[in-house]
Structures are given as C-alpha cells and as structure tokens.
Amino acid sequence: MNAQPSTSTLPGRGVRIAALAYLVLWVALGVSPSDRGTWLLENALVVGLLAVLWFSRRTFRFSDASLYLILLFLALHAVGSHYTYSDVPYDAWWQSLTGHSLNEALGWKRNHFDRLVHFSYGLLLAYPIREFVLRVVEVRGFWGYFLPLDVTLSTSALYELVEWGAAEMFGGDLGIHYLGTQGDVWDSHKDMALAALGALIAVIIIACINRRLKHDPAWEWSNRMKAAQKSS
C-alpha cells in the first residue's frame, strides 16, 4: 500500500527548514532596507498572510508542496521590499555573472523586477489557491482549474486597489516608491495581466501533470484533510 502524506497540523521537516531559511532571509533583508517606510508598507500584508496561515493551521492545512511555493514567492517579495521594487539591482547582478546587461539585451527601459514578482504571484500561488478552492468550494473538472485563475486575477486587482489607496494616503516619496509605476500609466494593468498569465501557465501545467498521473493530488489532499478534520 502506498504511504499517504501526513495530515499533521505541522508541515514536513523540509518545509520547516525552508521556513527557517526564509525567516533568516527576511530578517537579514529587513535590518537595513533601502527605504524603511516602504519596507514596512510592503511587509504589512506579508505579516498578515503569515498570521492567517499560522492561526488557521488546525482548521486549514496546506500541503507541503503549496507551502514551498508560498515561501518561494515570499522570498522574492523580501528581496523586492528590501531594495524597493524599482531599484532591485538584478541587471548589475546579471552583468557581474555574464559581463552583459540583461536590460540592454532584452531592450528594457525600466526595472522589471516588479513584473517578475507579479508574474510569480500567478505562477507560484495558483496551486495553493487551487487547494483552497477545491476544499472550500468543492469543485472539480473545468471549475477546479478556472476558479484558481479567477481568484488570482481578482486578488491581483484587489492588491492594485490597496496599493493605489496606500499611495494616495501616504503620498510623497513613500507613495511613489510603494506604487512603483516608474512612469508607466498602464503599470497596474500590466501587473494584473502578468499575474493572470502566470496563473494560466500554472493551471495548464497542473492539468497536464494530473492527466499524466491519472489522478489529482490536490483533490486527494483536500479529501484527506476533510476526513482528518472530521475524525479529530
């Protein structure tokens, strides 16, 4: 008989090590960020998310795969909030490795780290969102793939509204750094489009893997968690 993944409220050892590594990274990058006010704003939602994950761990447990994806996304966000997204020196890092400018090679006129993170939001978090949808809404088939895409796009739009509201509230350099449009009037639209594209790619990959495996690990995990909760 195949061993079933643990349904403990605690994640596996590997996830706990990854979480510790993320915590070390977050603290190290938070010691002396480029702009303390922007860093605080950028991390307010992160603290809220981590609090929700912690306090809901007994009633809703994400799989280890989802937790790895969430931690990877948060690590990217930690880098962006340290430098402010508009000033992450990825091009300098690339030049030190290759001797060439990535921006020049791709014809980019702006810093695109924020675009990468918005794309990663969809690509990395579509699977955790799908786990949540499968367990809460209990859908399968087409809706089990469409709803994660829909939730990704709607939450991305909600974030853009929060970002706009915060920028209006605080104004000045803090508002500009937090908004990070870099002079692009279509910045919010492009960010949402990239998040949706990332989620679309993710759900296609998930569908292909499930078809190849001939079963749906996220659906099976959801059912095991519901059974474990009923028996506890």
Side-chain angles (χ1 to χ4, degrees):
M1 181 180 293
N2 293 331
Q4 295 294 329
S6 170
T7 53
S8 166
T9 56
L10 288 176
R13 182 180 179 185
V15 176
R16 282 178 276 171
I17 293 173
L20 179 60
Y22 164 71
L23 180 61
V24 171
L25 174 69
W26 185 78
V27 171
L29 294 178
V31 170
S32 183
S34 297
D35 185 288
R36 176 62 67 186
T38 303
W39 183 88
L40 289 171
L41 277 178
E42 294 282 6
N43 282 279
L45 290 177
V46 172
V47 172
L49 172 62
L50 293 177
V52 169
L53 289 176
W54 175 257
F55 288 111
S56 65
R57 70 191 186 282
R58 296 187 183 279
T59 56
F60 191 96
R61 161 81 157 85
F62 280 105
S63 69
D64 286 1
S66 285
L67 293 174
Y68 278 123
L69 292 169
I70 292 170
L71 287 169
L72 179 55
F73 173 76
L74 291 178
L76 289 173
H77 177 73
V79 174
S81 62
H82 171 78
Y83 291 99
T84 73
Y85 275 90
S86 302
D87 297 319
V88 175
Y90 67 84
D91 199 45
W93 297 338
W94 184 263
Q95 287 189 57
S96 68
L97 289 173
T98 66
H100 303 284
S101 168
L102 180 64
N103 278 7
E104 288 184 6
L106 297 176
W108 291 346
K109 303 298 184 182
R110 73 192 295 278
N111 189 302
H112 278 283
F113 189 81
D114 63 325
R115 301 275 196 252
L116 169 66
V117 176
H118 280 281
F119 175 75
S120 298
Y121 175 75
L123 185 68
L124 298 177
L125 298 192
Y127 187 82
I129 290 172
R130 185 168 186 269
E131 270 192 3
F132 180 83
V133 167
L134 289 178
R135 183 164 173 195
V136 174
V137 186
E138 299 186 0
V139 293
R140 294 199 71 180
F142 169 79
W143 293 106
Y145 296 99
F146 175 76
L147 285 181
L149 175 61
D150 183 57
V151 172
T152 300
L153 184 55
S154 61
T155 52
S156 180
L158 179 61
Y159 175 78
E160 294 297 333
L161 293 175
V162 170
E163 193 177 56
W164 168 47
E168 286 283 353
M169 180 182 297
F170 294 102
D173 291 339
L174 176 57
I176 292 173
H177 285 152
Y178 184 61
L179 201 57
T181 61
Q182 300 181 61
D184 187 350
V185 297
W186 304 110
D187 181 72
S188 296
H189 305 74
K190 293 175 182 177
D191 289 346
M192 289 185 287
L194 283 169
L197 176 62
L200 177 62
I201 293 172
V203 296
I204 290 173
I205 292 173
I206 293 167
C208 291
I209 292 175
N210 289 348
R211 182 172 182 179
R212 185 172 183 83
L213 294 175
K214 296 182 180 179
H215 67 94
D216 189 337
W219 175 256
E220 293 169 0
W221 171 262
S222 174
N223 286 337
R224 283 196 294 273
M225 287 304 302
K226 284 185 287 188
Q229 189 174 6
K230 289 178 181 178
S231 64
S232 61

